[in-house]
PDB file of all heavy atoms in Angstrom:
ATOM      1  N   GLU A 181     -13.031 -15.294  32.741  1.00  0.00           N
ATOM      2  CA  GLU A 181     -11.805 -15.916  32.187  1.00  0.00           C
ATOM      3  C   GLU A 181     -12.099 -16.508  30.816  1.00  0.00           C
ATOM      4  O   GLU A 181     -13.147 -17.132  30.590  1.00  0.00           O
ATOM      5  CB  GLU A 181     -11.340 -17.001  33.146  1.00  0.00           C
ATOM      6  CG  GLU A 181     -10.749 -16.476  34.444  1.00  0.00           C
ATOM      7  CD  GLU A 181     -10.124 -17.574  35.276  1.00  0.00           C
ATOM      8  OE1 GLU A 181     -10.049 -18.739  34.755  1.00  0.00           O
ATOM      9  OE2 GLU A 181      -9.650 -17.307  36.371  1.00  0.00           O
ATOM     10  N   LYS A 182     -11.171 -16.317  29.908  1.00  0.00           N
ATOM     11  CA  LYS A 182     -11.346 -16.861  28.561  1.00  0.00           C
ATOM     12  C   LYS A 182     -10.883 -18.295  28.514  1.00  0.00           C
ATOM     13  O   LYS A 182      -9.939 -18.711  29.196  1.00  0.00           O
ATOM     14  CB  LYS A 182     -10.517 -16.045  27.556  1.00  0.00           C
ATOM     15  CG  LYS A 182     -10.968 -14.570  27.509  1.00  0.00           C
ATOM     16  CD  LYS A 182     -10.141 -13.824  26.471  1.00  0.00           C
ATOM     17  CE  LYS A 182     -10.569 -12.350  26.432  1.00  0.00           C
ATOM     18  NZ  LYS A 182     -10.196 -11.627  27.638  1.00  0.00           N
ATOM     19  N   THR A 183     -11.571 -19.085  27.705  1.00  0.00           N
ATOM     20  CA  THR A 183     -11.253 -20.497  27.576  1.00  0.00           C
ATOM     21  C   THR A 183     -10.382 -20.745  26.338  1.00  0.00           C
ATOM     22  O   THR A 183     -10.189 -19.889  25.494  1.00  0.00           O
ATOM     23  CB  THR A 183     -12.560 -21.305  27.467  1.00  0.00           C
ATOM     24  OG1 THR A 183     -13.248 -20.961  26.243  1.00  0.00           O
ATOM     25  CG2 THR A 183     -13.466 -21.017  28.646  1.00  0.00           C
ATOM     26  N   ILE A 184      -9.937 -22.024  26.239  1.00  0.00           N
ATOM     27  CA  ILE A 184      -9.170 -22.412  25.034  1.00  0.00           C
ATOM     28  C   ILE A 184     -10.040 -22.237  23.781  1.00  0.00           C
ATOM     29  O   ILE A 184      -9.535 -21.837  22.737  1.00  0.00           O
ATOM     30  CB  ILE A 184      -8.692 -23.864  25.153  1.00  0.00           C
ATOM     31  CG1 ILE A 184      -7.662 -23.962  26.308  1.00  0.00           C
ATOM     32  CG2 ILE A 184      -8.088 -24.365  23.876  1.00  0.00           C
ATOM     33  CD1 ILE A 184      -7.195 -25.393  26.561  1.00  0.00           C
ATOM     34  N   LYS A 185     -11.308 -22.542  23.916  1.00  0.00           N
ATOM     35  CA  LYS A 185     -12.251 -22.380  22.758  1.00  0.00           C
ATOM     36  C   LYS A 185     -12.272 -20.913  22.328  1.00  0.00           C
ATOM     37  O   LYS A 185     -12.294 -20.634  21.121  1.00  0.00           O
ATOM     38  CB  LYS A 185     -13.620 -22.857  23.167  1.00  0.00           C
ATOM     39  CG  LYS A 185     -14.639 -22.715  22.033  1.00  0.00           C
ATOM     40  CD  LYS A 185     -16.054 -23.172  22.488  1.00  0.00           C
ATOM     41  CE  LYS A 185     -17.067 -22.946  21.385  1.00  0.00           C
ATOM     42  NZ  LYS A 185     -18.423 -23.366  21.802  1.00  0.00           N
ATOM     43  N   ASP A 186     -12.313 -20.013  23.292  1.00  0.00           N
ATOM     44  CA  ASP A 186     -12.335 -18.557  22.970  1.00  0.00           C
ATOM     45  C   ASP A 186     -11.089 -18.175  22.235  1.00  0.00           C
ATOM     46  O   ASP A 186     -11.118 -17.414  21.259  1.00  0.00           O
ATOM     47  CB  ASP A 186     -12.469 -17.724  24.256  1.00  0.00           C
ATOM     48  CG  ASP A 186     -13.797 -17.912  24.942  1.00  0.00           C
ATOM     49  OD1 ASP A 186     -14.822 -18.177  24.231  1.00  0.00           O
ATOM     50  OD2 ASP A 186     -13.846 -17.862  26.161  1.00  0.00           O
ATOM     51  N   GLY A 187      -9.951 -18.687  22.705  1.00  0.00           N
ATOM     52  CA  GLY A 187      -8.678 -18.368  22.055  1.00  0.00           C
ATOM     53  C   GLY A 187      -8.574 -18.901  20.651  1.00  0.00           C
ATOM     54  O   GLY A 187      -8.104 -18.217  19.750  1.00  0.00           O
ATOM     55  N   LEU A 188      -9.046 -20.133  20.417  1.00  0.00           N
ATOM     56  CA  LEU A 188      -9.009 -20.722  19.093  1.00  0.00           C
ATOM     57  C   LEU A 188      -9.959 -19.972  18.143  1.00  0.00           C
ATOM     58  O   LEU A 188      -9.630 -19.749  16.959  1.00  0.00           O
ATOM     59  CB  LEU A 188      -9.410 -22.199  19.145  1.00  0.00           C
ATOM     60  CG  LEU A 188      -8.363 -23.113  19.843  1.00  0.00           C
ATOM     61  CD1 LEU A 188      -8.925 -24.516  19.919  1.00  0.00           C
ATOM     62  CD2 LEU A 188      -7.054 -23.128  19.065  1.00  0.00           C
ATOM     63  N   GLU A 189     -11.136 -19.589  18.640  1.00  0.00           N
ATOM     64  CA  GLU A 189     -12.094 -18.849  17.818  1.00  0.00           C
ATOM     65  C   GLU A 189     -11.519 -17.503  17.404  1.00  0.00           C
ATOM     66  O   GLU A 189     -11.660 -17.051  16.278  1.00  0.00           O
ATOM     67  CB  GLU A 189     -13.377 -18.661  18.610  1.00  0.00           C
ATOM     68  CG  GLU A 189     -14.487 -17.932  17.788  1.00  0.00           C
ATOM     69  CD  GLU A 189     -15.787 -17.794  18.572  1.00  0.00           C
ATOM     70  OE1 GLU A 189     -15.927 -18.487  19.602  1.00  0.00           O
ATOM     71  OE2 GLU A 189     -16.637 -17.018  18.102  1.00  0.00           O
ATOM     72  N   TYR A 190     -10.824 -16.836  18.372  1.00  0.00           N
ATOM     73  CA  TYR A 190     -10.237 -15.552  18.069  1.00  0.00           C
ATOM     74  C   TYR A 190      -9.072 -15.722  17.055  1.00  0.00           C
ATOM     75  O   TYR A 190      -8.975 -14.922  16.111  1.00  0.00           O
ATOM     76  CB  TYR A 190      -9.710 -14.909  19.346  1.00  0.00           C
ATOM     77  CG  TYR A 190      -8.987 -13.616  19.104  1.00  0.00           C
ATOM     78  CD1 TYR A 190      -9.698 -12.423  18.943  1.00  0.00           C
ATOM     79  CD2 TYR A 190      -7.594 -13.548  19.056  1.00  0.00           C
ATOM     80  CE1 TYR A 190      -9.064 -11.218  18.709  1.00  0.00           C
ATOM     81  CE2 TYR A 190      -6.943 -12.357  18.838  1.00  0.00           C
ATOM     82  CZ  TYR A 190      -7.690 -11.202  18.640  1.00  0.00           C
ATOM     83  OH  TYR A 190      -7.007 -10.022  18.411  1.00  0.00           O
ATOM     84  N   ALA A 191      -8.218 -16.747  17.287  1.00  0.00           N
ATOM     85  CA  ALA A 191      -7.057 -16.939  16.466  1.00  0.00           C
ATOM     86  C   ALA A 191      -7.347 -17.354  15.030  1.00  0.00           C
ATOM     87  O   ALA A 191      -6.679 -16.897  14.092  1.00  0.00           O
ATOM     88  CB  ALA A 191      -6.137 -17.995  17.133  1.00  0.00           C
ATOM     89  N   PHE A 192      -8.353 -18.182  14.838  1.00  0.00           N
ATOM     90  CA  PHE A 192      -8.555 -18.778  13.511  1.00  0.00           C
ATOM     91  C   PHE A 192      -9.855 -18.366  12.817  1.00  0.00           C
ATOM     92  O   PHE A 192     -10.151 -18.840  11.706  1.00  0.00           O
ATOM     93  CB  PHE A 192      -8.459 -20.307  13.627  1.00  0.00           C
ATOM     94  CG  PHE A 192      -7.127 -20.792  14.015  1.00  0.00           C
ATOM     95  CD1 PHE A 192      -6.912 -21.275  15.277  1.00  0.00           C
ATOM     96  CD2 PHE A 192      -6.074 -20.727  13.140  1.00  0.00           C
ATOM     97  CE1 PHE A 192      -5.663 -21.710  15.681  1.00  0.00           C
ATOM     98  CE2 PHE A 192      -4.808 -21.170  13.531  1.00  0.00           C
ATOM     99  CZ  PHE A 192      -4.578 -21.637  14.752  1.00  0.00           C
ATOM    100  N   ILE A 193     -10.659 -17.503  13.492  1.00  0.00           N
ATOM    101  CA  ILE A 193     -11.866 -17.013  12.829  1.00  0.00           C
ATOM    102  C   ILE A 193     -11.869 -15.453  12.833  1.00  0.00           C
ATOM    103  O   ILE A 193     -11.902 -14.817  11.761  1.00  0.00           O
ATOM    104  CB  ILE A 193     -13.130 -17.548  13.534  1.00  0.00           C
ATOM    105  CG1 ILE A 193     -13.215 -19.057  13.453  1.00  0.00           C
ATOM    106  CG2 ILE A 193     -14.403 -16.889  12.932  1.00  0.00           C
ATOM    107  CD1 ILE A 193     -14.377 -19.679  14.145  1.00  0.00           C
ATOM    108  N   THR A 194     -11.830 -14.866  14.009  1.00  0.00           N
ATOM    109  CA  THR A 194     -11.965 -13.398  14.115  1.00  0.00           C
ATOM    110  C   THR A 194     -10.761 -12.703  13.465  1.00  0.00           C
ATOM    111  O   THR A 194     -10.946 -11.794  12.650  1.00  0.00           O
ATOM    112  CB  THR A 194     -12.075 -12.985  15.599  1.00  0.00           C
ATOM    113  OG1 THR A 194     -13.166 -13.678  16.219  1.00  0.00           O
ATOM    114  CG2 THR A 194     -12.259 -11.502  15.711  1.00  0.00           C
ATOM    115  N   LEU A 195      -9.554 -13.071  13.880  1.00  0.00           N
ATOM    116  CA  LEU A 195      -8.353 -12.390  13.393  1.00  0.00           C
ATOM    117  C   LEU A 195      -8.091 -12.609  11.894  1.00  0.00           C
ATOM    118  O   LEU A 195      -7.842 -11.638  11.169  1.00  0.00           O
ATOM    119  CB  LEU A 195      -7.152 -12.867  14.213  1.00  0.00           C
ATOM    120  CG  LEU A 195      -5.882 -11.973  14.172  1.00  0.00           C
ATOM    121  CD1 LEU A 195      -6.233 -10.536  14.523  1.00  0.00           C
ATOM    122  CD2 LEU A 195      -4.853 -12.530  15.114  1.00  0.00           C
ATOM    123  N   PRO A 196      -8.226 -13.822  11.382  1.00  0.00           N
ATOM    124  CA  PRO A 196      -8.016 -14.000   9.924  1.00  0.00           C
ATOM    125  C   PRO A 196      -8.971 -13.205   9.068  1.00  0.00           C
ATOM    126  O   PRO A 196      -8.611 -12.767   8.004  1.00  0.00           O
ATOM    127  CB  PRO A 196      -8.237 -15.514   9.722  1.00  0.00           C
ATOM    128  CG  PRO A 196      -7.860 -16.128  11.049  1.00  0.00           C
ATOM    129  CD  PRO A 196      -8.322 -15.116  12.080  1.00  0.00           C
ATOM    130  N   GLN A 197     -10.174 -12.979   9.550  1.00  0.00           N
ATOM    131  CA  GLN A 197     -11.173 -12.182   8.799  1.00  0.00           C
ATOM    132  C   GLN A 197     -10.658 -10.753   8.611  1.00  0.00           C
ATOM    133  O   GLN A 197     -10.998 -10.112   7.613  1.00  0.00           O
ATOM    134  CB  GLN A 197     -12.522 -12.185   9.484  1.00  0.00           C
ATOM    135  CG  GLN A 197     -13.250 -13.514   9.421  1.00  0.00           C
ATOM    136  CD  GLN A 197     -14.540 -13.548  10.209  1.00  0.00           C
ATOM    137  OE1 GLN A 197     -14.776 -12.656  11.066  1.00  0.00           O
ATOM    138  NE2 GLN A 197     -15.408 -14.498   9.930  1.00  0.00           N
ATOM    139  N   ASP A 198      -9.908 -10.274   9.591  1.00  0.00           N
ATOM    140  CA  ASP A 198      -9.448  -8.879   9.514  1.00  0.00           C
ATOM    141  C   ASP A 198      -8.291  -8.701   8.540  1.00  0.00           C
ATOM    142  O   ASP A 198      -8.138  -7.619   7.964  1.00  0.00           O
ATOM    143  CB  ASP A 198      -9.001  -8.412  10.906  1.00  0.00           C
ATOM    144  CG  ASP A 198     -10.166  -8.271  11.873  1.00  0.00           C
ATOM    145  OD1 ASP A 198     -11.272  -8.108  11.394  1.00  0.00           O
ATOM    146  OD2 ASP A 198      -9.957  -8.333  13.063  1.00  0.00           O
ATOM    147  N   ILE A 199      -7.462  -9.732   8.332  1.00  0.00           N
ATOM    148  CA  ILE A 199      -6.211  -9.542   7.562  1.00  0.00           C
ATOM    149  C   ILE A 199      -6.192 -10.367   6.307  1.00  0.00           C
ATOM    150  O   ILE A 199      -5.235 -10.237   5.547  1.00  0.00           O
ATOM    151  CB  ILE A 199      -4.981  -9.867   8.429  1.00  0.00           C
ATOM    152  CG1 ILE A 199      -4.947 -11.336   8.746  1.00  0.00           C
ATOM    153  CG2 ILE A 199      -4.973  -9.065   9.695  1.00  0.00           C
ATOM    154  CD1 ILE A 199      -3.652 -11.798   9.443  1.00  0.00           C
TER     155      ILE A 199
END
Side-chain angles (χ1 to χ4, degrees):
E181 291 188 4
K182 299 181 180 69
T183 65
I184 294 177
K185 180 182 177 181
D186 294 328
L188 291 175
E189 182 177 347
Y190 176 81
F192 295 106
I193 297 178
T194 304
L195 198 54
Q197 288 176 343
D198 292 337
I199 68 173

